[in-house]
Amino acid sequence: WASQKSDTVSVSEAVPKDGFVALVTATDSDSGSNGQVNCFLRHGHGHFRLKKTYDNYVLVVNSTLDREKLSEYNITVVAKDQGSPQLISEKHLTIQIVDENDNPPVFEKNHYLVTVFENYLYHSPLLIVKAHDADEGMNAKVTYSVQHS
């Protein structure tokens, strides 16, 4: 991976189709067809694909990413020369999907009903509500407020 010291890259789940993930560079010291290299994905999960550029390949998003469904992908890039016999090299890459705030909070119940009796003790809870957000970290933080209607 060009400019990568790690075998892990992070990509936002909001990256659109054909969005950049990584630059893939494969070289072969041989000359002629023995030095010509083609790359392909062995394990791309359909969510990623390689696009050939002039001398390199660009790993791009091929379909919608959803961190809440799958937060990490492990793919294998295979480089194969055109020599005889053909020589192959593999590189494994972990793609971590970074959360975007793309899910609203959801209450545990669709409807809440409260009955308040005339002898209600002030400062006692009337109702406890809970909501959950499928996002991660600060994107999953739920705050509550009461609005007068």
Side-chain angles (χ1 to χ4, degrees):
W1 328 119
S3 320
Q4 289 288 333
K5 294 180 181 176
S6 170
D7 291 337
T8 302
V9 295
S10 296
V11 176
S12 167
E13 68 179 322
V15 171
K17 184 174 181 180
D18 293 325
F20 177 84
V21 176
L23 178 64
V24 177
T25 304
T27 58
D28 190 317
S29 309
D30 293 330
S31 60
S33 62
N34 292 344
Q36 294 176 0
V37 179
N38 291 318
C39 292
F40 61 93
L41 295 180
R42 177 165 291 146
H43 303 292
H45 300 280
H47 285 88
F48 304 97
R49 67 184 173 86
L50 286 176
K51 282 176 69 173
K52 176 88 167 122
T53 62
Y54 180 68
D55 285 331
N56 302 306
Y57 289 84
V58 177
L59 181 63
V60 297
V61 173
N62 196 43
S63 65
T64 304
L65 301 173
D66 187 350
R67 187 211 55 85
E68 290 76 25
K69 290 183 181 174
L70 191 57
S71 62
E72 185 175 282
Y73 294 86
N74 294 299
I75 65 171
T76 302
V77 178
V78 179
K80 179 169 52 171
D81 70 15
Q82 299 304 305
S84 181
Q86 285 188 324
L87 300 177
I88 294 175
S89 180
E90 293 184 353
K91 183 78 170 178
H92 303 283
L93 177 66
T94 299
I95 302 171
Q96 295 175 335
I97 308 304
V98 178
D99 187 49
E100 291 291 327
N101 191 16
D102 59 342
N103 291 288
V106 177
F107 283 97
E108 289 182 340
K109 296 181 182 178
N110 290 330
H111 182 75
Y112 292 89
L113 177 64
V114 176
T115 302
V116 181
F117 297 101
E118 66 179 318
N119 60 349
Y120 163 73
L121 296 173
Y122 187 70
H123 294 298
S124 297
L126 284 174
L127 174 70
I128 297 174
V129 297
K130 288 187 179 180
H132 300 280
D133 191 315
D135 289 315
E136 182 177 63
M138 288 303 293
N139 292 335
K141 184 178 179 187
V142 177
T143 56
Y144 301 87
S145 64
V146 176
Q147 297 178 346
H148 298 283
S149 56

